[in-house]
């Protein structure tokens, strides 16, 4: 599985380029932080990766990517459904028995620091808990490519810290993960960085130092 960006650039009609010369190879098991100031095209590049937008220049090639997941800035869930139900649903949709789906859901809830909230309804979760639940559900859905748009943008610093801790645990074999963020701590929680705010020259993927 591989997503290859070659000299990618985009602008909307009559407007200057949001970004140019983006070159990277995205592989499973990595979490790529897509960084840059507001207006640099982070969400637009996510849209290109999802296949919703055709880039103005350059090419995007995907091999083995059939299912794309997207986690938005604001967590959305069913108010009265429990956290466990939200994560179990993707397993049930793939044919798992309820007991097996719940067991798999509990493993993911533990991974993202939500074991204590497994039985709480979605409406009773805090903002940070809700966003971490969306990350857990995103992994449960087993997409080939998971796109995460500004997961800490609507959170206070303390709550954002819990989400950044979860991002550090999100790397998953078999899934390519791209996180658009302006948060330096979210960037540092990822394994690699694509910086759209860098000078306009060929950009490659940089590994974040541990």
């Amino acid at each position: 599985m591989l997503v290859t960006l070659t000299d990618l650039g985009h602008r909307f009609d009559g407007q200057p380029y949001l970004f140019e010369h983006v070159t990277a190879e995205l592989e499973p098991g990595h979490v790529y932080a897509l960084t840059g100031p507001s207006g640099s095209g982070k969400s637009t590049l996510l849209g290109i990766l999802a296949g919703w937008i055709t880039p103005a220049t350059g090419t995007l090639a995907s091999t083995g990517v059939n299912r794309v997941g997207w986690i938005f800035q604001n967590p959305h869930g069913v108010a009265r459904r429990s956290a466990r139900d939200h994560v179990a649903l993707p397993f049930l949709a793939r044919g798992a028995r309820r007991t097996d789906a719940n067991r798999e859901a509990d493993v993911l809830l533990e991974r993202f620091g939500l074991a204590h909230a497994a039985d709480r309804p979605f409406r009773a979760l805090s903002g940070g808990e809700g966003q971490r639940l969306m990350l857990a559900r995103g992994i449960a859905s087993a997409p080939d490519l998971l796109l995460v748009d500004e997961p800490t943008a609507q959170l206070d610093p303390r709550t954002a810290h819990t989400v950044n801790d979860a991002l550090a645990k999100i790397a998953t074999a078999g899934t390519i993960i791209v996180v658009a963020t302006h948060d330096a701590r979210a960037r540092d929680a990822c394994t690699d960085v694509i910086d759209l705010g860098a000078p306009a020259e060929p950009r490659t993927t940089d590994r974040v130092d541990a």
Side-chain angles (χ1 to χ4, degrees):
M1 188 187 306
L2 184 68
V3 175
T4 303
L5 291 64
T6 305
D7 206 26
L8 209 66
H10 194 72
R11 65 177 177 180
F12 295 101
D13 290 344
Q15 300 297 317
Y17 273 91
L18 295 170
F19 55 84
E20 295 181 89
H21 307 302
V22 177
T23 295
E25 287 191 346
L26 312 182
E27 301 175 331
H30 292 250
V31 183
Y32 297 89
L34 185 58
T35 65
S38 296
S40 61
K42 297 188 294 295
S43 293
T44 298
L45 184 49
L46 289 185
I48 291 172
L49 290 170
W52 299 349
I53 300 171
T54 301
T57 59
T59 60
L60 173 70
S62 299
T63 303
V65 176
N66 299 308
R67 300 181 67 249
V68 178
W70 193 301
I71 298 174
F72 298 96
Q73 289 186 25
N74 296 312
H76 297 283
V78 180
R80 296 183 180 181
R81 287 285 187 179
S82 71
R84 180 183 290 110
D85 285 344
H86 282 79
V87 182
L89 179 59
F91 295 105
L92 293 170
R94 294 200 296 276
R97 296 181 301 175
R98 167 61 73 172
T99 54
D100 294 333
N102 284 346
R103 183 171 60 251
E104 295 292 344
D106 285 344
V107 170
L108 283 173
L109 290 170
E110 176 71 29
R111 176 174 165 185
F112 288 99
L114 290 170
H116 66 282
D119 295 316
R120 288 185 194 170
F122 181 81
R123 63 187 177 188
L125 300 179
S126 68
E129 288 171 336
Q131 195 61 276
R132 282 182 281 149
L133 180 63
M134 296 301 101
L135 294 174
R137 187 173 67 176
I139 293 300
S141 299
D144 303 311
L145 174 64
L146 180 61
L147 307 174
V148 185
D149 192 8
E150 297 283 5
T152 62
Q154 308 299 324
L155 304 176
D156 62 79
R158 178 177 295 180
T159 304
H161 177 73
T162 67
V163 174
N164 290 333
D165 282 347
L167 286 174
K169 303 171 185 175
I170 200 175
T172 301
T175 300
I176 299 167
I177 302 173
V178 182
V179 181
T181 185
H182 66 279
D183 183 339
R185 287 168 295 184
R187 176 202 64 205
D188 293 343
C190 298
T191 62
D192 304 79
V193 176
I194 301 171
D195 184 7
L196 299 185
E201 58 187 29
R203 303 184 184 101
T204 56
T205 305
D206 297 321
R207 182 66 60 93
V208 174
D209 293 331

